[in-house]
Amino acid sequence: MTVLSRFEKKVIIVTGGGSGIGQAVVRRLVAEGGIVTAVDVNEDGLKAGAKQAENIAVAGGRYSFMVGSVSSEESVKKIVQDVVDQEGRLDALINVAGILRSKKTTETSLEEFMEPINVNLIGTFLFCREALPHLTKTKGNIVNTASTSAQYGHPYMAGYAASKGGVEAMTKALAREYMKEGVRVNAVAPGGINTPLKEGQNDRMGGLDVSLFSHLVRPDYVCGEPDDVASVFAMLASADGSFMTGEIVKVDGGVHN
């Protein structure tokens, strides 16, 4: 990891910070001096993140966590307000929390279809809505998590793809809505990344490996790692991304080019 200090004295909320990409983003921001609050329903993962943060915090970097569901309006309101009350400001919101459901569409119940909608899309909306009044004061920014599934044909994930398509559309709408107020809103669209979200995916799809489509394009393709994506989140959330808003940045190893 390149040692930088782009987030000194910056207060940041990261949802989904208990595992995978979210946990990698937290590590990156704390290592660069950020004052980071990680949010997740996975308390064990959040506690593990605390141990990681102790070893990498520099330049005033600090880690704390709050257990809560991103799809609970009451929980989201409390988390955002508690962070602002404790730290006095909010400089960035990074929405990573998400779930994946892989299943043949004709076998998918409405409840199963709505699960990723409620977490991935509604959860992102709720945190954006609650954070924006504070971000307008600091001229801060938001980085959401989209997915290549929203842009390309990934089978067996209609609900997931729909939720991520909604995140992309909302990201662009918010970027336009808050441009004059100095708030940037972007999103990262990862491809195949080795995270707990991906584990067991092939089994859920009856043995069909989505990465098969990647290998058809690029025979040497392997899934990326969370740190490969965390660096892009950090760039967008920092001053290095100051002239970017409304962008969906694809991070997929070139598979969908």
Side-chain angles (χ1 to χ4, degrees), residues 6-7 94 141-144 184 186-189 230-242 244-245 247-249:
R6 294 176 293 187
F7 297 98
I94 299 183
N141 74 92
I142 296 171
V143 187
N144 294 323
R184 297 184 298 109
N186 293 290
V188 177
S231 59
V232 181
F233 276 95
M235 182 277 291
L236 288 172
S238 76
D240 286 342
S242 62
M244 297 178 69
T245 193
E247 294 297 327
I248 313 297
V249 181

Side-chain angles (χ1 to χ4, degrees), residues 220-236:
D220 63 340
Y221 176 77
V222 294
C223 284
E225 297 299 328
D227 285 335
D228 297 326
V229 189
S231 59
V232 181
F233 276 95
M235 182 277 291
L236 288 172

Side-chain angles (χ1 to χ4, degrees), residues 5-247:
S5 56
R6 294 176 293 187
F7 297 98
E8 286 186 58
K9 300 181 180 179
K10 298 295 185 181
V11 178
I12 309 145
I13 294 174
V14 180
T15 73
S19 67
I21 293 172
Q23 198 172 66
V25 170
V26 169
R27 288 196 302 269
R28 181 75 187 218
L29 301 183
V30 172
E32 292 197 34
I35 301 169
V36 182
T37 299
V39 179
D40 210 300
V41 293
N42 177 8
E43 186 172 3
D44 289 341
L46 292 170
K47 290 179 178 178
K51 294 180 180 179
Q52 296 171 6
E54 288 176 4
N55 298 324
I56 60 177
V58 296
R62 181 155 46 87
Y63 173 89
S64 62
F65 66 83
M66 295 184 182
V67 180
S69 170
V70 301
S71 57
S72 165
E73 185 173 19
E74 181 179 352
S75 177
V76 173
K77 286 182 176 181
K78 185 177 188 307
I79 288 169
V80 173
Q81 191 60 54
D82 283 353
V83 170
V84 174
D85 288 345
Q86 290 170 20
E87 306 297 344
R89 60 186 289 131
L90 182 64
D91 296 285
L93 166 68
I94 299 183
N95 286 304
V96 187
I99 60 172
L100 170 63
R101 297 290 182 261
S102 301
K103 198 171 183 180
K104 191 172 182 178
T105 300
T106 53
E107 298 172 359
T108 301
S109 68
L110 177 59
E111 180 181 4
E112 290 169 328
F113 180 84
M114 289 302 298
E115 284 179 344
I117 300 290
N118 287 332
V119 175
N120 304 349
L121 179 56
I122 302 302
T124 297
F125 162 72
L126 288 174
F127 263 97
C128 287
R129 187 189 69 185
E130 295 306 310
L132 277 164
H134 306 289
L135 295 173
T136 56
K137 296 176 183 178
T138 59
K139 306 300 181 185
N141 74 92
I142 296 171
V143 187
N144 294 323
T145 303
S147 169
T148 55
S149 68
Q151 305 166 2
Y152 305 93
H154 291 197
Y156 296 87
M157 21 177 118
Y160 181 77
S163 73
K164 293 301 186 178
V167 169
E168 288 199 7
M170 182 169 61
T171 295
K172 293 180 179 181
L174 291 177
R176 178 72 68 175
E177 184 175 344
Y178 283 87
M179 188 179 296
K180 289 184 178 180
E181 298 187 58
V183 177
R184 297 184 298 109
V185 187
N186 293 290
V188 177
I193 307 295
N194 285 319
T195 68
L197 193 72
K198 188 177 181 298
E199 291 175 5
Q201 182 180 4
N202 297 349
D203 293 336
R204 294 192 299 270
M205 296 169 60
L208 175 63
D209 187 349
V210 171
S211 66
L212 167 66
F213 301 101
S214 302
H215 287 289
L216 291 174
V217 177
R218 182 175 156 182
D220 63 340
Y221 176 77
V222 294
C223 284
E225 297 299 328
D227 285 335
D228 297 326
V229 189
S231 59
V232 181
F233 276 95
M235 182 277 291
L236 288 172
S238 76
D240 286 342
S242 62
F243 204 54
M244 297 178 69
T245 193
E247 294 297 327

